[in-house]
Amino acid sequence: MRIVCPRKELSPYVRYYWILKADEPFSVLTFPIGCPQLIFHRKTPLYIPEIGCCQSPFTISGQVNFPAHIQSRGDVDMIVAVFYPHTVGMFTDTSPSAFYNLEISGYDIENRRLNEVAAKILDTPDDDGAVRELEQWLLSRINPTLNLRRTGRSIEMLMRNPEVSVERLAREACLSRKQYERIFREQVGMNPKEYGRIVRFQKALWLLQRGSCNYAAMAADCGYADQSHFIREFKAFSGHTPKTLHRYCTLYSDLFANPPVLA
């Protein structure tokens, strides 16, 4: 896997791009990472058995709340843009709530300009050239709004303090709880309470990645009610307990770790 950082103008909106080429079949356990993705398959798309879905050559991967086994029969050549939790809607002109727990074909949202860019990326054999095509289009779509900045600040608060209440987040955004939840759901793709659960899970995964094994302390650090709550939630998002997950995959928190270390 190769990681590519976005250009400076896009860095508030795009976390990174990753490029994967593989000739051999594989199956990889994945978890909710809290970040939507645009996926471009220049060869054979991937299959997700949990939802009985084969990705489209151009796929939008939304917020999910379940683990999945991503499978390939080989012949993979893909480019993925990973966005911050609240920014992808600015580029797709479609609320991320429409992608909740789904892997949909990007062609289904009927965005002509986005479809044109997808065609260019799929027809460009050079990786860096394909990323440039995508970035040129993304740059033309930048249009930050007050609500986007509000939601971004909420995400930052959740990352610092995963147990922060929705009421506190709404107050900090200068919105009623009802207004805040509506805006958050429109921009992130799920309600703030559910997204907070993903943040807690990802922080726990990050602590495990760094070698922590005191589950009671981890539960407290991540904002869980107690150790039992921590283990139950962790298993819901990963399919395994904190003690056994390392047997099935490499421990890595996409949301809390720095993605370029994967390179």
Side-chain angles (χ1 to χ4, degrees), residues 8-237:
K8 183 178 179 180
E9 300 93 326
L10 287 168
S11 60
Y13 314 104
V14 180
R15 295 187 64 213
Y16 61 96
Y17 312 99
W18 57 270
I19 300 167
L20 176 66
K21 300 177 189 293
D23 296 326
E24 299 298 322
F26 62 80
S27 177
V28 177
L29 176 61
T30 64
F31 326 110
I33 68 170
C35 296
Q37 302 168 77
L38 298 185
I39 302 170
F40 304 90
H41 288 286
R42 293 184 292 188
K43 291 186 178 178
T44 306
L46 305 178
Y47 178 70
I48 300 95
E50 283 78 5
I51 56 177
C53 169
C54 188
Q55 292 180 335
S56 165
F58 169 34
T59 292
I60 301 175
S61 181
Q63 299 282 8
V64 299
N65 62 7
F66 59 88
H69 293 80
I70 305 298
Q71 297 180 352
S72 168
R73 66 184 190 191
D75 194 35
V76 170
D77 184 356
M78 59 191 294
I79 295 176
V80 179
V82 181
F83 292 82
Y84 283 96
H86 60 299
T87 58
V88 73
M90 182 173 65
F91 301 103
T92 61
D93 291 331
T94 302
S95 169
S97 61
F99 317 139
Y100 176 65
N101 275 346
L102 294 174
E103 304 269 329
I104 75 165
S105 170
Y107 302 115
D108 288 347
I109 65 173
E110 299 181 347
N111 185 317
R112 181 180 59 81
R113 290 190 63 195
L114 184 52
N115 290 348
E116 290 172 355
V117 173
K120 290 180 181 178
I121 293 169
L122 296 175
D123 289 340
T124 302
D126 173 62
D127 295 336
D128 293 331
V131 171
R132 283 195 297 271
E133 290 284 357
L134 177 57
E135 290 209 314
Q136 287 176 8
W137 177 78
L138 291 173
L139 285 167
S140 73
R141 301 295 301 158
I142 294 176
N143 181 31
T145 63
L146 174 60
N147 284 339
L148 193 71
R149 291 191 291 271
R150 283 170 166 165
T151 305
R153 287 193 293 269
S154 287
I155 299 296
E156 291 172 359
M157 287 184 65
L158 277 167
M159 294 281 287
R160 292 193 302 268
N161 182 17
E163 69 267 30
V164 64
S165 69
V166 177
E167 289 80 6
R168 170 73 184 279
L169 293 171
R171 284 199 306 271
E172 292 292 328
C174 299
L175 295 167
S176 70
R177 175 166 177 160
K178 186 175 181 180
Q179 287 175 312
Y180 173 76
E181 288 180 325
R182 175 181 58 80
I183 291 169
F184 191 99
R185 185 169 55 252
E186 287 176 353
Q187 295 188 334
V188 176
M190 58 174 51
N191 67 52
K193 186 174 182 179
E194 184 175 21
Y195 192 77
R197 292 176 62 210
I198 290 175
V199 172
R200 287 194 293 271
F201 164 72
Q202 281 285 327
K203 184 173 182 180
L205 196 56
W206 178 65
L207 291 171
L208 287 171
Q209 174 188 332
R210 299 176 68 202
S212 298
C213 56
N214 184 330
Y215 299 146
M218 291 172 64
D221 287 345
C222 298
Y224 292 102
D226 51 38
Q227 184 173 328
S228 296
H229 181 214
F230 163 49
I231 294 172
R232 185 169 62 252
E233 287 278 288
F234 193 94
K235 190 171 183 180
F237 285 124

